[in-house]
Amino acid sequence: VIDLFSDSATQPTQPMREAMAYAEVGDEQRGLDPTVNRLLSMICSMLGKEAALFLPSGTMCNAIAIKVLTNPSESILVDRLSHILRLEAGGAAMWSGVVFDQLPTTDGTFTADDVLKALPAPSVYSPPPTVLCVEQTHNIGGGTVWTLAEIASVCQAAHRAGLRTHMDGARLFNAVVASGVPASQWCEHFDSVWIDFSKSLAAPFGAVLAGNKQFIEKARRYKQAFGGSMRQAGIMAAGCIYALENNIERLAIDHENAKFLANELGKIPGLKVLTPEPHSNMIFLDTSGCGMNAESFLKNLQQLGVTMCRMDDRVRAVTRLGISKEDCARAIEVVQQVVASGAARAR
Ligand SMILES: *Cc1c(COP(=O)(O)O)cnc(C)c1O
C-alpha cells in the first residue's frame, strides 16, 4: 500500500529506533532526564527562545499555550481553517473557557487588516481578544507557507493591539526548508511557539513548546495538571533529537515529490489540483469533475493500493519519509486508472 494519508504515518527508521533504545534516561517529571534536557536546549537555540517544555503531542502544546496566555471568557483569533479550531475537539474552549474568533481565509493565511477588523471596540459586551494564532505551514489551507513579511505584519498588528501571538508550528521545519528562512526568524514574531516531531520530522511522538522563561514556568504547572509530565521520556526525546539531526534537510525531497504529484495529476482530465504549485509536502484535489465525490474516489484508490485522506469535500495527499518518487509515480498511475474507470462508467 502507498500511504499518502498523512506525514503522521511515518515510521521510525532503524537508526532512529537504535538511538531511542540506547538513550540515557532519568525522571523527566523532576527535570532529571538528560536526553530530554539536551533536546530542549537544542530547540531553544534553533528557535531562538529562552525556555522550552517537552510534551507528548502538539495538541497538548496548543492547549497549554492557550491556557497560559488567556483567562476564561477571552477570545482567541484563529483562522477559520486552523487545526486548533477544526481538529482539537474544542480543547481551547474546554480547558481555557475561551471563544474562537474566526478570521477569513482560503489558504490559511490572512492579513493585518483582517486582524484589525476582527478587534472589537473595547466595551463590556465583547469578549476581549488576547491571542492571535498562526499556523505555519498551514495544513487544511493546503500546506501553505506564510512569507516572513506576512507573518511580521499580522504579528505586529496583534502586538500593537495588545494581543499575544502564538504559532502552531507543527510543520515549521517544512516552512524553513521551503523558504530558506531559519526557524529562529519565524519564531521571533511569536510569544509562544511549538513544533511537532510526529509529523514530517518522522519521530513516533513528541512535541516541544517554547517561549520566554516566565511563559514556560507557567506552562510547566499546566503540563503537570494536564497529565503531560512523564518519566523516562529520554526514549522519546532521543527519537526527536535524531529527527532534528537527520530529517530536516530531507524535507526538500518531500516537497519535490509533492510538486511531481501536482504536475502529473494536473494533466488528468476532470481532476482538479487545487494546489498546482504546492508550497510544501501536501496537495489537495477536487474530484467532482471526474464524476466521483471524495469518498468514492478514495474508496476506489484504496482498492488499488493507494491511500489518501478526505478533508471536507476535498482529497489530500501528503508526501513524507518512506514515500519515494517511484511510489508517487505508482500513485499517479492508480489515480489515472480510477479517473478513467469513472469516466467509462459515466459513458
Ligand atoms: C497534527 C497537527 C496538530 C496536532 O498535533 P498532534 O501531535 O497530532 O497532537 C496541530 N496543528 C497542526 C497544524 C497539525 O497538523
Side-chain angles (χ1 to χ4, degrees):
V1 172
I2 298 170
D3 185 355
L4 302 173
F5 189 90
S6 172
D7 45 15
S8 59
T10 44
Q11 300 257 331
T13 56
Q14 193 59 32
M16 180 186 277
R17 286 172 188 266
E18 278 163 24
M20 295 172 75
Y22 298 109
E24 229 190 305
V25 295
D27 190 343
E28 190 267 350
Q29 189 171 114
R30 289 190 286 151
L32 298 178
D33 189 293
T35 308
V36 169
N37 293 341
R38 188 153 72 88
L39 171 66
L40 295 177
S41 71
M42 284 171 79
I43 286 288
C44 286
S45 74
M46 288 173 100
L47 304 190
K49 292 294 180 199
E50 274 178 12
L53 197 60
F54 191 43
L55 292 167
S57 72
T59 301
M60 200 183 283
C61 291
N62 270 339
I64 290 179
I66 298 304
K67 186 75 189 157
V68 174
L69 298 174
T70 63
N71 294 300
S73 89
E74 291 174 353
S75 89
I76 60 174
L77 303 192
V78 301
D79 75 80
R80 70 176 187 91
L81 300 177
S82 56
H83 196 283
I84 193 170
L85 171 66
R86 296 275 200 114
L87 295 172
E88 296 179 17
M94 194 184 289
W95 308 126
S96 302
V98 293
V99 170
F100 292 94
D101 210 344
Q102 298 181 37
L103 301 171
T105 190
T106 51
D107 68 353
T109 69
F110 47 83
T111 64
D113 198 43
D114 295 326
V115 173
L116 296 177
K117 275 189 194 141
L119 299 175
S123 76
V124 294
Y125 303 108
S126 310
T130 46
V131 177
L132 173 70
C133 298
V134 171
E135 193 174 304
Q136 171 80 314
T137 65
H138 200 288
N139 181 351
I140 300 179
T144 314
V145 178
W146 288 72
T147 68
L148 194 57
E150 288 167 338
I151 290 229
S153 158
V154 296
C155 289
Q156 204 169 65
H159 281 140
R160 281 204 186 122
L163 277 67
R164 259 133 8 127
T165 56
H166 169 71
M167 176 165 61
D168 173 341
R171 295 183 184 79
L172 177 65
F173 281 104
N174 290 86
V176 167
V177 168
S179 65
V181 175
S184 57
Q185 282 191 41
W186 300 105
C187 293
E188 75 188 19
H189 297 284
F190 295 94
D191 301 294
S192 152
V193 298
W194 65 268
I195 65 159
D196 211 330
F197 291 95
S198 74
K199 300 286 173 70
S200 55
L201 292 182
F205 35 45
V208 173
L209 176 66
N212 69 22
K213 283 195 178 126
Q214 200 191 8
F215 170 79
I216 290 298
E217 268 326 299
K218 289 183 181 158
R220 199 181 301 287
R221 177 165 167 254
Y222 291 120
K223 166 174 161 138
Q224 178 65 18
F226 283 36
S229 293
M230 294 172 277
R231 300 300 186 187
Q232 285 68 36
I235 299 219
M236 299 166 67
C240 302
I241 291 173
Y242 184 89
L244 289 179
E245 288 174 342
N246 297 279
N247 291 348
I248 294 180
E249 278 171 37
R250 64 153 307 287
L251 294 173
I253 300 170
D254 302 340
H255 298 178
E256 277 310 307
N257 284 337
K259 288 193 175 81
F260 175 54
L261 280 175
N263 276 334
E264 296 305 314
L265 296 179
K267 296 175 187 164
I268 301 177
L271 184 65
K272 187 164 181 1
V273 179
L274 300 167
T275 49
E277 289 172 22
H279 289 187
S280 60
N281 68 334
M282 45 183 85
I283 64 158
F284 283 75
L285 307 172
D286 175 357
T287 61
S288 58
C290 4
M292 270 171 271
N293 62 17
E295 194 144 344
S296 52
F297 178 81
L298 290 173
K299 211 177 280 168
N300 293 334
L301 281 191
Q302 190 71 55
Q303 277 169 2
L304 297 173
V306 173
T307 308
M308 294 184 186
C309 116
R310 191 178 140 190
M311 284 241 166
D312 309 319
D313 53 352
R314 302 167 300 161
V315 168
R316 186 188 75 172
V318 184
T319 54
R320 57 173 174 84
L321 179 72
I323 295 292
S324 63
K325 185 163 186 190
E326 291 68 38
D327 293 330
C328 294
R330 173 71 194 135
I332 291 159
E333 281 174 18
V334 166
V335 173
Q336 282 165 340
Q337 218 173 318
V338 164
V339 174
S341 67
R345 267 198 307 279
R347 270 198 297 273

